[in-house]
Amino acid sequence: MIHANTPAWRRATLALCLGSMLVFINLYAPQPLLPLLRDTHDASTLKTGLVMSLATLTLALSLLVYGPLSDAIGRGGIMRVSLSVAALATLLAAFAPGLDWLLAARVLQGVALGGLPAVAIAWMGDEFSPEAMSRAVGLYIAANTLGGIGGRVLGGVVGEWYGVQASFVAVGGLTLVGVAVFWWLLPAASAFSSQPFRLGRACRQMRGHLANPWLLPAYLIGGLNFLVFINQYSYMTFRLAEAPFALGPRWLGLLFLTYLGGTLGSMLSARVVARAGAPATMGLGVVIMVLALGLSLMPVLAVIIAALTLSAFGFFLCHATASGWVGRQAREGRGGASALYLVFYYLGASLGPLWLEPFWLWRGWPGVVAASWLVLATTGWLSWRLGKRLQRAQHQCVVERRLEHV
């Protein structure tokens, strides 16, 4: 068992954070290029958005395989191999001759990128003490945000100066170097207990996770919040590429520095949970997102940047809490439980345009905000219900302990 603040904990946490950054660099590097891709290929907003949503969709579906598979064969090998394949898929995307071929490369990329996020938190659950895991999860989620920032900034800057192809080449080359470091840093697992893979048992475990009243609300909160959060950036790039802002890919990439608000939110999540509890922390994150969306309606670039920063803080405060909650509440098949959270998470991202696009075509950005508020009303209610359930369970435990001493 690895304990917090030991050399082994630092090395393992650094490896997983690096891997997380590589995943999200590759996943989100094309996002600031969406207006450029739309104009280059004369495509609709919805089809151009498939560059993001197809990768997140295939990533989500791959998690259904990686999670149970990792319970059988181990988690370290899956993370190492999948990151290597993802780097090669990114280089293939660089030489796609058209938008359809680029979409096909993104499908392959999404499948490969699913390996690490499917099992990283389960790896922590196997190897780390509860305190060590709580601290590591916050840092790991913070690394997600740094990867998202880095990928978008790198993609936008290189894409504006040297073109889309050079952007993918730069990301792929950087990933190959990072993968080599990841292989070296990640320690061998010592506490993993293999469970032979059986499809029937895996399906039963998945059904059990979905029927678990402690897990399902967290799955829905993560997926629906991400539906709003990630797609607000996609539609914001289209908004800011038009007059009166007229920002190019380089500046749209720098817009994602607002993710630093999410880095802070992730790092503070463990402290907030210790004071207020996990359900209340999730609800707080939702409320902050609601307020930030309202602020984003103002047609002032500085205010929009502040709103996106605040939204990132609220989202990642909630996301870090929800993902850690799943890792703690799962009693068996932890890899499958964590993977199922991410299935909901990325399905939300990939299906978001289907929900938001009609509102965008109807009223532009105010329509996107209205559609987002409807979704966040649902996740706020789910957080409140989960908090009520936790209060009842804690009260029942107190009553039972008193009866034991009577």
Side-chain angles (χ1 to χ4, degrees), residues 155-308:
V157 171
V158 176
E160 181 166 323
W161 287 349
Y162 302 106
V164 173
Q165 183 182 58
S167 178
F168 281 108
V169 169
V171 171
L174 177 65
T175 304
L176 286 175
V177 174
V179 168
V181 177
F182 176 83
W183 277 61
W184 173 69
L185 280 175
L186 187 69
S190 60
F192 173 74
S193 178
S194 176
Q195 301 177 12
F197 179 75
R198 295 186 178 90
L199 181 60
R201 184 176 66 184
C203 291
R204 285 193 299 273
Q205 286 184 345
M206 289 293 181
R207 288 196 298 270
H209 296 324
L210 290 172
N212 188 328
W214 299 108
L215 297 182
L216 182 59
Y219 292 156
L220 292 171
I221 290 168
L224 292 173
N225 278 357
F226 200 43
L227 180 156
V228 169
F229 178 73
I230 191 61
N231 288 292
Q232 77 174 356
Y233 276 95
S234 294
Y235 285 100
M236 186 62 79
T237 62
F238 292 122
R239 178 191 182 191
L240 297 182
E242 305 294 338
F245 305 102
L247 300 184
R250 175 179 43 155
W251 295 108
L252 291 176
L254 292 174
L255 181 72
F256 293 95
L257 289 171
T258 57
Y259 256 56
L260 289 170
T263 305
L264 179 61
S266 300
M267 295 177 69
L268 292 177
S269 61
R271 296 183 185 181
V272 180
V273 169
R275 290 177 176 270
T281 304
M282 295 182 215
L284 175 62
V286 173
V287 170
I288 292 172
M289 290 179 68
V290 169
L291 296 175
L293 279 164
L295 191 62
S296 73
L297 290 169
M298 295 184 64
V300 179
L301 185 58
V303 176
I304 291 171
I305 291 171
L308 291 174

Side-chain angles (χ1 to χ4, degrees), residues 31-50:
Q31 197 166 24
L33 303 175
L34 291 180
L36 179 61
L37 288 168
R38 178 191 60 184
D39 296 340
T40 300
H41 299 285
D42 194 24
S44 67
T45 302
L46 185 60
K47 183 172 182 179
T48 307
L50 291 176

Side-chain angles (χ1 to χ4, degrees), residues 10-100:
R10 294 188 186 96
R11 182 183 181 115
T13 302
L14 178 60
L16 294 171
C17 288
L18 172 62
S20 172
M21 289 179 65
L22 294 175
V23 167
F24 292 99
I25 286 172
N26 282 268
L27 185 61
Y28 294 126
Q31 197 166 24
L33 303 175
L34 291 180
L36 179 61
L37 288 168
R38 178 191 60 184
D39 296 340
T40 300
H41 299 285
D42 194 24
S44 67
T45 302
L46 185 60
K47 183 172 182 179
T48 307
L50 291 176
V51 172
M52 299 304 301
S53 58
L54 279 180
T56 54
L57 176 62
T58 52
L59 189 157
L61 296 177
S62 73
L63 299 173
L64 294 170
V65 177
Y66 287 127
L69 185 63
S70 76
D71 289 331
I73 67 172
R75 317 195 199 279
I78 288 175
M79 291 190 284
R80 290 184 174 98
V81 173
S82 63
L83 280 177
S84 302
V85 174
L88 297 177
T90 301
L91 293 174
L92 285 176
F95 300 99
L99 183 58
D100 290 338

